[in-house]
Amino acid sequence: MKNYLLFLLFVLLGSPVYSSDSTDVILVKLNDALKNKAHYVRLKEERILNFKKIKSDDLTKEQEYNYNKTLYTEYQKFNSDSAIFYVKKNLKIATELQDDELLNLANLQLVTLYSSSGKYRESEAILKSIDKKTLSKSLLQTYYVAYREFFEHYAANSYDIKYIQKIREYRDSLVSVLDPNTLNYQVNKIQQIMSQKKYDIAEKQLLQLFDNMEEDNPQYAMITYLLGSIYEARHQLEPRKKFYALSSTSDLKNANKDNASLQELALVFYEIGDVDMAYKLTQSAIEDALYCNVQFRTLLMSEVYSIINTVYLEKEAKRKTELQLYLLCISLLSAFLIVAVIYVYKQMKKVSRIRGELYETSQKLAELNKDITETNNQLQERNAQLSESNHIKEEYIAHFFSLCSTYINKLENYRIILNKKATAKQFDEIYKMLKSTTLVDNELEELYKNFDIIFLNLYPTFVKDFNALLIREEQIVLKQGELLNTELRIFALIRLGITDSVKIAAFLRYSLSTIYNYRTRARNKAAVSRNDFEEMVMKIGLISLKV
């Protein structure tokens, strides 16, 4: 158990600690940086332009030298031609000042710029013109850097093992004069260890630097590039891709046109068969090298580009063939679709015509249904009227026989009284009885009372329904004990179907003009149309009879 724990601890301590982001997330960020490449370049140009604006005309020569040196630093890995321009200005200023320190610094800066742009003879001539023994410690560092980069650039153009040895010699010399407490020393020391193929030690030191370094640090791209180089030497594809992608993203965001990570990452994608991504990265790397005028990068990329471009063109040709095949299939499908559309269109027209016919038929059926409904309603109304008539007839026949019997009895009683009076020779009494109208008046009053009772028995809501047809102010209010008044009796007779004013006048014992006036006055008080008033009176009670 103890041995197992020790082994596990060893594995954990010995395993590299990578970025917290997964490779997929890092590649998404890289693609985003590639997409916004022009934006980062514009930001760099704006920063340089803003710095140029602060220059004043009253700078001293030393201040102007420092001003130009700042612009050289900005342009060094962005545009070598502009960087050369400002270094040459500093050469002139240093000559005017007769300051060997400033002159040597400018010359050493020019060496790196010349060698990167392919001017190896000019670079070598400048290097040979500088006496190493006269240089200060800080310039000596720059001197070794210039020599190391000179051979790095030359080796890219004409590979030879002796140039690699020179690179190592000058790196060793540089490490010997650098301050061990600086990051520059640590990076160069790690490169020295890597040249000795001590990758485990180099990896451990680089990961320590990486874990404590922010992405905006100028050395971030270099640290991640070196880590990618270690994993390339070990043939570890996934971490190699990851750290080259981190380095490439940093270079893109910093608008660093002199970079190696894009080229290396392009080779990674070529190896895994992602030719599209490899081609995109190669294109970007060549654009940067041409923009910055870094000839040695262009030379390094030319061989890689030709291989990737050939494979890419073959793939594009294959895609083109497939596309032509797809276009042919699409054309055939389109033709089939057109035929299908025409067929569907004809079917739709046919369906539309059938729908139109069905609509017309449904309209006719609706009209017939409406006619049937209206006929039904009329039949129901007629049935209701017949039912009402039958009901009225039954009621009136019963009352008629009752009244007839009553009046026969009354006539018999009246005959007996007259007979008694005649037997008793009471002729004055007989004459007086015959002359009196009291009997007739009483009988009429009894007749109207019976009529009112019978009618309201047939139509109990007649008074309320009749008033509903009148305006509120003109509605009829009956006296206490009164069932119907004259006006209501007139319209009660109309409701029973007796519409002739002559008959109404004879029944109620009024003149014809009086009946006419009553009817006209009622129409004028109607809350409904005057023309429809009596027709609506005749419909009172129909609903109740239907129910």
Side-chain angles (χ1 to χ4, degrees), residues 70-71 113 141 234 348 367 383 387 390 399 434 469 506:
T70 302
L71 286 171
L113 293 169
Q141 295 173 13
R234 287 179 176 175
M348 285 178 68
E367 288 175 8
N383 285 336
S387 177
N390 290 334
H399 283 284
L434 292 172
L469 299 174

Side-chain angles (χ1 to χ4, degrees), residues 352-367:
S352 179
R353 191 183 73 252
I354 293 169
R355 279 182 181 172
E357 291 172 357
L358 285 172
Y359 178 76
E360 288 177 6
T361 305
S362 65
Q363 289 291 100
K364 289 177 181 178
L365 285 172
E367 288 175 8

Side-chain angles (χ1 to χ4, degrees), residues 24 46 80 98 116 136 203 217 376 456 524:
D24 291 338
E46 287 175 1
S80 61
Q98 296 181 351
S116 68
S136 63
E203 178 193 21
N217 191 303
N376 248 348
L456 290 175
N524 291 336

Side-chain angles (χ1 to χ4, degrees), residues 52-141:
K52 287 180 179 180
K53 287 179 181 177
I54 65 172
K55 182 182 177 183
S56 60
D57 297 330
D58 56 350
L59 290 175
T60 63
K61 291 294 181 181
E62 289 82 0
Q63 289 172 334
E64 189 177 352
Y65 186 95
N66 289 326
Y67 175 84
N68 291 334
K69 188 169 72 170
T70 302
L71 286 171
Y72 153 79
T73 305
E74 289 288 336
Y75 279 119
Q76 184 183 7
K77 291 185 178 295
F78 183 63
N79 190 320
S80 61
D81 291 338
S82 297
I84 290 169
F85 172 77
Y86 286 103
V87 171
K88 284 184 175 180
K89 288 184 75 173
N90 275 352
L91 283 172
K92 185 178 179 182
I93 293 168
T95 303
E96 290 174 1
L97 292 172
Q98 296 181 351
D99 189 326
D100 290 337
E101 182 84 6
L102 297 180
L103 186 63
N104 286 329
L105 175 60
N107 273 318
L108 289 171
Q109 289 171 344
L110 196 58
V111 166
T112 304
L113 293 169
Y114 275 168
S115 64
S116 68
S117 58
K119 297 178 180 180
Y120 302 113
R121 290 183 180 179
E122 291 87 340
S123 298
E124 190 176 17
I126 295 170
L127 284 169
K128 287 180 177 179
S129 69
I130 298 172
D131 186 1
K132 182 175 71 171
K133 297 176 182 177
T134 63
L135 298 176
S136 63
K137 186 176 181 180
S138 62
L139 273 183
L140 193 59
Q141 295 173 13

Side-chain angles (χ1 to χ4, degrees), residues 37 48 128 141 157 215 233 272 385 399 425 448 461:
K37 183 178 175 181
I48 294 171
K128 287 180 177 179
Q141 295 173 13
N157 184 51
E215 287 186 29
I272 63 177
Q385 289 174 354
H399 283 284
K425 297 183 180 182
Y448 295 148
T461 62

Side-chain angles (χ1 to χ4, degrees), residues 489-531:
R489 286 193 192 100
I490 292 169
F491 286 97
L493 290 168
I494 291 171
R495 175 63 192 89
L496 292 172
I498 303 170
T499 57
D500 189 354
S501 295
V502 175
K503 292 181 180 179
I504 294 170
F507 179 77
L508 296 178
R509 295 181 176 268
Y510 285 110
S511 66
L512 188 60
S513 60
T514 302
I515 299 302
Y516 179 78
N517 289 337
Y518 269 116
R519 293 176 75 168
T520 304
R521 199 159 48 240
R523 281 197 297 271
N524 291 336
K525 295 189 294 182
V528 295
S529 170
R530 291 179 77 258
N531 297 329

Side-chain angles (χ1 to χ4, degrees), residues 218-254:
Q219 289 285 9
Y220 182 85
M222 174 58 76
I223 298 298
T224 48
Y225 175 78
L226 292 175
L227 279 165
S229 301
I230 289 173
Y231 298 122
E232 182 178 359
R234 287 179 176 175
H235 305 290
Q236 292 176 267
L237 187 64
E238 199 60 30
R240 173 186 167 197
K241 178 169 66 173
K242 182 174 188 174
F243 283 101
Y244 278 149
L246 286 170
S247 180
S248 300
T249 305
S250 179
D251 283 333
L252 287 165
K253 287 183 176 180
N254 290 314

